[in-house]
Amino acid sequence: MNSIRGVTIWRILALVALLLACSPLRANAKDQPVLIQDWQIKWIGSQDSAERIPQLDGTWTPAGAADPPSKLPEGSRGMWVHLRVPPTALWQQPGLLVDRLYGLDLAVFREDRLLIRSERDFTFDLNKLIVQIERSEKTTDYFIRILTTSERAGLVSGVRVDGLEALSKRFVRQDLPDLLLGASVALLSLIMLVCSGYLHSRQRGSWFSLCLVALSIGMLILTYSPLTYIYFEEYGSLLLLLFDVALFLLIPSFNFFIDQVFEEQYKFFTRYRRFQTGYSAFCLIALFAYTITDKHYEVYYVFLNVILSALILLQLVLIIVLSVRKAIGGNRNAVLLSVGVVIFAASATADLIFYYVSRKTYVLFLWKIGVVVLILSLLIILARRISADYGKLLSYSKELELYNHSLQRTEKMKIISDLAASVAHEVRNPLQVTRGFLQLLSARSDDRSRPYFDLATNELDRAADIITDFLTFAKPDLEQIVRLDLSAELKKIEAMMTPLAAMHGAVLTFHSKGELEVQGNSSKLKQALINIIKNSIEALGPEGWIKISAETEDGDAVIRIADNGEGMEEEEVAKLGIPFFSTKTKGTGLGLMVTFRIIEAMRGTIVFHSVKAKGTEVVIRFPLAALSSLPNELHA
Ligand code: ADP
Ligand code: MG
């Protein structure tokens, strides 16, 4: 099996090799691009005429892509580059491509004939050059003239000789990622800006500042790409201006966002941020002033380059220190921020190191990766902040709803208790009198009508019970407050309720642990617990059981009454204790209302856990007597 598979793999490999051998790549092997790595240069002095190509004498110095000189010597305004281009007859349409060079005014000559000239009236000197050349059977001399007003000039990369089509693809492709990245980041910021209308004003500050951060970074990337200046040459000065504006926009908005992440906790940073904002505004004005007047470059240079660079460096260090400090304190957002800023700082530092190690010929690109990571981390932080806000809002509204609920309940209770107190008193007396007379009449009546009298008395008793419930509710009668032994009380209750449970074919068990002394009124406590147990019994099906237990827990006496009855839905549990809430045909819906009142008066709490068709557990907690004293109102 294995050997068969081995043979198959070999066949596939052989096939791939064959395909590769026949592929266009191989077929075109003869017109592979040629990379010219060595050339000669000659500086152009500020007084020298640059109209004529200098003689190829001993005054030229050799140079190359390995160590290209780019810093202009004192008193120079550019350089001549002399290239020896090998035969180009292989290509239908040959061309030259320089991926990177510094220079503003470029001209290419074949021997002494001008082929192309490109001039810039703005000072962005990061440039590229592509030029079509003639086919030739022999090696030909080419000259590139580079003039500039900046401090550097020269080729930074080798010169590529290839078919013009291949070169023009490469010309675009190399800088395309920059354009895409910059444009997407800027677009992202614009989308975010539109979305900001939907935000709460509390979040708008962070959001808006992040939009500005993204927008300015997108603009920085776009306006630092040579391709932008080549394709939009007529807007060159504007693009350069945009670069600076983006920088002055980026710094304050970035600081503002960071300060929000720090929750404005570091006063020093807040003050520094305000200063920096002021300084950026000043720079912006200075920039416009310089752009309009074109005077005092030195002043502009000091304020906008030297001081600003120092400030940015200081601020970066400050942010790293503070965010790491806050991250150590366990703040997740600060951890994210530290990671983002540190990666950004590291990438920018690495870029700078490469730049200086390569004698200023390296083209910075690592910082773009850092920027993407930074924006990502800022975005995640913002999302986290917003979702945290949303969570807070949600829990707050839930709390409000609960509070409303309990307020309504209290209100209802109050009305009922007032009504109950007045009505119950008035009705109880006539009922008692009626009952007395009924008994009297019953004693005198014949055997046939006696059951009717009994029925009437029973119904009167039921009415009296309801009224007693109402009275208890209106004023839980805890006048005689004593220390109660909860175990003993529960034992008595067990004895009272076992027969009723047995009638329903159910088993009632009870056990207690430890000393359980609470303060309260024995008969009211019984009333409260009996109401609960009665409900349990009424909820039971065949083979029902009720388990009662009592024990101490965290300084409380805890009673648990569990049954395996029909259970309740969540909405039903929420309605427990509301007057007249009952699911029974003969229920009054007053039992639990009274129970709640009594337990409340004894400073206890009651909680229902119930699952439909599974059963219910009621948990009642009372403070232990040793640890509690009853409030005065109960003694009144
Ligand atoms: P009543 O018993 O007169 O209906 P209660 O206030 O005692 O009034 O109880 C209100 C409602 O709560 C009952 O009708 C019943 O639906 C529900 N209930 C209370 N305890 C239980 C329980 N242990 N199991 C199932 N339902 C219960
Ligand atoms: Mg009941």
Side-chain angles (χ1 to χ4, degrees):
M1 193 59 191
N2 259 342
S3 68
I4 291 175
R5 195 183 292 154
V7 168
T8 319
I9 289 173
W10 278 118
R11 274 197 198 137
I12 292 172
L13 284 180
L15 199 67
V16 170
L18 194 73
L19 280 175
L20 278 180
C22 304
S23 73
L25 270 175
R26 280 293 299 209
N28 288 351
K30 56 181 181 13
D31 49 0
Q32 284 274 309
V34 176
L35 198 60
I36 303 174
Q37 301 272 25
D38 300 294
W39 51 84
Q40 287 185 308
I41 63 159
K42 188 178 169 77
W43 298 108
I44 304 173
S46 47
Q47 308 301 327
D48 298 352
S49 154
E51 292 312 308
R52 286 179 54 86
I53 300 168
Q55 291 293 319
L56 275 176
D57 52 19
T59 56
W60 290 77
T61 42
D67 180 22
S70 61
K71 185 154 177 37
L72 274 184
E74 199 70 33
S76 302
R77 59 182 180 118
M79 69 155 69
W80 282 101
V81 178
H82 168 222
L83 296 172
R84 289 184 63 73
V85 177
T88 50
L90 283 175
W91 291 283
Q92 279 299 323
Q93 220 178 30
L96 292 183
L97 171 70
V98 185
D99 281 332
R100 278 283 179 273
L101 67 119
Y102 297 132
L104 296 174
D105 180 356
L106 311 176
V108 183
F109 299 84
R110 178 193 161 122
E111 281 153 359
D112 54 1
R113 194 156 52 80
L114 177 68
L115 292 182
I116 188 175
R117 179 157 183 203
S118 114
E119 251 178 303
R120 282 184 176 176
D121 56 359
F122 49 90
T123 50
F124 188 80
D125 67 352
L126 195 54
N127 220 327
K128 300 161 81 81
L129 185 65
I130 186 166
V131 54
Q132 184 181 356
I133 57 176
E134 279 159 37
R135 296 174 69 193
S136 163
E137 297 288 348
K138 57 179 178 40
T139 301
T140 320
D141 287 321
Y142 279 84
F143 296 91
I144 303 175
R145 188 189 63 198
I146 303 171
L147 293 175
T148 187
T149 54
S150 77
E151 63 201 9
R152 52 188 189 177
L155 311 190
V156 180
S157 63
V159 179
R160 191 170 279 263
V161 185
D162 199 352
L164 193 65
E165 201 186 319
L167 287 181
S168 52
K169 271 185 200 151
R170 190 183 157 90
F171 180 81
V172 177
R173 200 179 290 165
Q174 204 191 22
D175 291 302
L176 201 58
D178 272 8
L179 292 194
L180 290 179
L181 178 67
S184 357
V185 172
L187 185 68
L188 173 82
S189 76
L190 290 181
I191 294 173
M192 281 175 66
L193 207 62
V194 172
C195 296
S196 73
Y198 298 101
L199 286 179
H200 188 257
S201 59
R202 219 181 81 76
Q203 298 154 340
R204 214 169 275 157
S206 309
W207 184 277
F208 192 68
S209 56
L210 189 57
C211 287
L212 288 187
V213 169
L215 182 68
S216 45
I217 286 179
M219 264 158 60
L220 281 181
I221 296 176
L222 282 177
T223 51
Y224 188 70
S225 167
L227 220 50
T228 317
Y229 290 88
I230 286 167
Y231 283 132
F232 300 98
E233 202 163 0
E234 61 273 37
Y235 303 114
S237 312
L238 186 68
L239 289 171
L240 264 182
L241 190 70
L242 266 182
F243 181 87
D244 285 337
V245 171
L247 194 65
F248 300 138
L249 203 65
L250 171 65
I251 299 166
S253 44
F254 183 64
N255 281 347
F256 182 84
F257 186 84
I258 302 286
D259 207 18
Q260 296 295 306
V261 178
F262 290 154
E263 290 149 348
E264 300 195 3
Q265 177 190 353
Y266 304 110
K267 287 280 161 295
F268 171 71
F269 185 78
T270 308
R271 248 177 270 143
Y272 180 81
R273 159 174 88 75
R274 294 209 178 113
F275 162 72
Q276 182 76 290
T277 307
Y279 191 78
S280 296
F282 163 76
C283 287
L284 204 62
I285 295 168
L287 173 70
F288 283 119
Y290 171 71
T291 310
I292 293 166
T293 62
D294 211 9
K295 271 188 214 147
H296 305 298
Y297 178 75
E298 329 74 56
V299 181
Y300 164 82
Y301 184 80
V302 168
F303 278 113
L304 273 69
N305 268 337
V306 182
I307 299 183
L308 193 67
S309 308
L311 281 178
I312 291 177
L313 211 66
L314 181 70
Q315 150 187 12
L316 218 56
V317 172
L318 201 66
I319 290 175
I320 291 178
V321 170
L322 289 182
S323 62
V324 167
R325 209 177 114 179
K326 204 163 161 77
I328 290 169
N331 184 309
R332 285 258 181 96
N333 284 346
V335 174
L336 277 168
L337 179 65
S338 314
V339 171
V341 178
V342 168
I343 288 183
F344 171 67
S347 64
T349 315
D351 257 351
L352 284 183
I353 290 173
F354 288 140
Y355 181 69
Y356 285 109
V357 165
S358 71
R359 302 213 192 138
K360 303 196 179 181
T361 56
Y362 167 83
V363 179
L364 317 175
F365 87 97
L366 280 177
W367 69 278
K368 289 171 209 154
I369 300 173
V371 155
V372 173
V373 174
L374 182 65
I375 292 185
L376 263 181
S377 72
L378 295 186
L379 259 179
I380 296 173
I381 290 172
L382 191 67
R384 279 175 54 93
R385 281 171 61 98
I386 290 178
S387 84
D389 271 1
Y390 180 67
K392 252 189 232 158
L393 196 76
L394 226 65
S395 80
Y396 175 68
S397 66
K398 225 177 234 168
E399 234 168 65
L400 201 71
E401 199 186 301
L402 278 181
Y403 176 71
N404 252 341
H405 202 78
S406 79
L407 199 71
Q408 270 175 9
R409 200 174 168 131
T410 323
E411 199 86 332
K412 251 190 219 163
M413 292 296 176
K414 173 130 179 43
I415 296 169
I416 294 186
S417 89
D418 288 350
L419 268 179
S422 58
V423 174
H425 256 304
E426 298 305 321
V427 178
R428 199 147 64 158
N429 286 343
L431 275 187
Q432 289 299 325
V433 176
T434 316
R435 192 179 193 278
F437 283 125
L438 268 182
Q439 270 175 332
L440 212 70
L441 282 177
S442 156
R444 290 193 196 158
S445 68
D446 52 34
D447 283 352
R448 261 196 313 141
S449 42
R450 190 156 300 140
Y452 298 110
F453 279 112
D454 287 348
L455 204 66
T457 327
N458 275 347
E459 287 303 297
L460 270 185
D461 282 348
R462 218 166 84 82
D465 276 353
I466 293 175
I467 285 167
T468 313
D469 274 351
F470 260 126
L471 263 184
T472 316
F473 173 75
K475 192 165 181 292
D477 184 14
L478 294 186
E479 277 123 26
Q480 302 146 326
I481 293 169
V482 287
R483 267 172 182 266
L484 295 175
D485 178 356
L486 215 54
S487 293
E489 295 292 332
L490 281 167
K491 227 173 213 111
K492 280 185 217 158
I493 294 172
E494 183 203 4
M496 281 162 67
M497 300 306 289
T498 304
L500 187 66
M503 252 170 65
H504 282 76
V507 191
L508 194 150
T509 56
F510 164 68
H511 59 88
S512 72
K513 216 163 60 187
E515 253 190 48
L516 299 161
E517 290 223 315
V518 298
Q519 303 234 41
N521 179 290
S522 166
S523 73
K524 291 298 154 194
L525 178 70
K526 278 199 195 89
Q527 194 185 346
L529 295 178
I530 285 173
N531 280 348
I532 297 173
I533 297 169
K534 246 164 86 185
N535 280 344
S536 284
I537 292 175
E538 284 159 4
L540 289 177
E543 293 188 25
W545 50 252
I546 298 167
K547 291 175 186 167
I548 306 172
S549 70
E551 60 191 335
T552 54
E553 217 181 271
D554 307 326
D556 285 338
V558 179
I559 305 170
R560 289 195 168 79
I561 302 171
D563 65 61
N564 64 342
E566 60 185 359
M568 287 171 277
E569 302 285 359
E570 234 174 83
E571 305 87 74
E572 288 178 322
V573 173
K575 284 186 193 154
L576 293 180
I578 293 177
F580 311 118
F581 167 69
S582 174
T583 55
K584 299 165 193 165
T585 38
K586 271 198 140 185
T588 60
L590 293 174
L592 286 183
M593 179 184 82
V594 170
T595 301
F596 280 23
R597 265 299 267 212
I598 294 171
I599 290 173
E600 190 188 333
M602 283 178 66
R603 292 190 23 182
T605 60
I606 177 166
V607 180
F608 280 77
H609 305 287
S610 190
V611 180
K612 191 78 194 163
K614 278 266 162 65
T616 306
E617 185 192 42
V618 189
V619 183
I620 307 157
R621 287 170 181 272
F622 292 118
L624 283 173
L627 298 164
S628 74
S629 61
L630 285 173
N632 292 336
E633 61 172 278
L634 295 181
H635 295 281

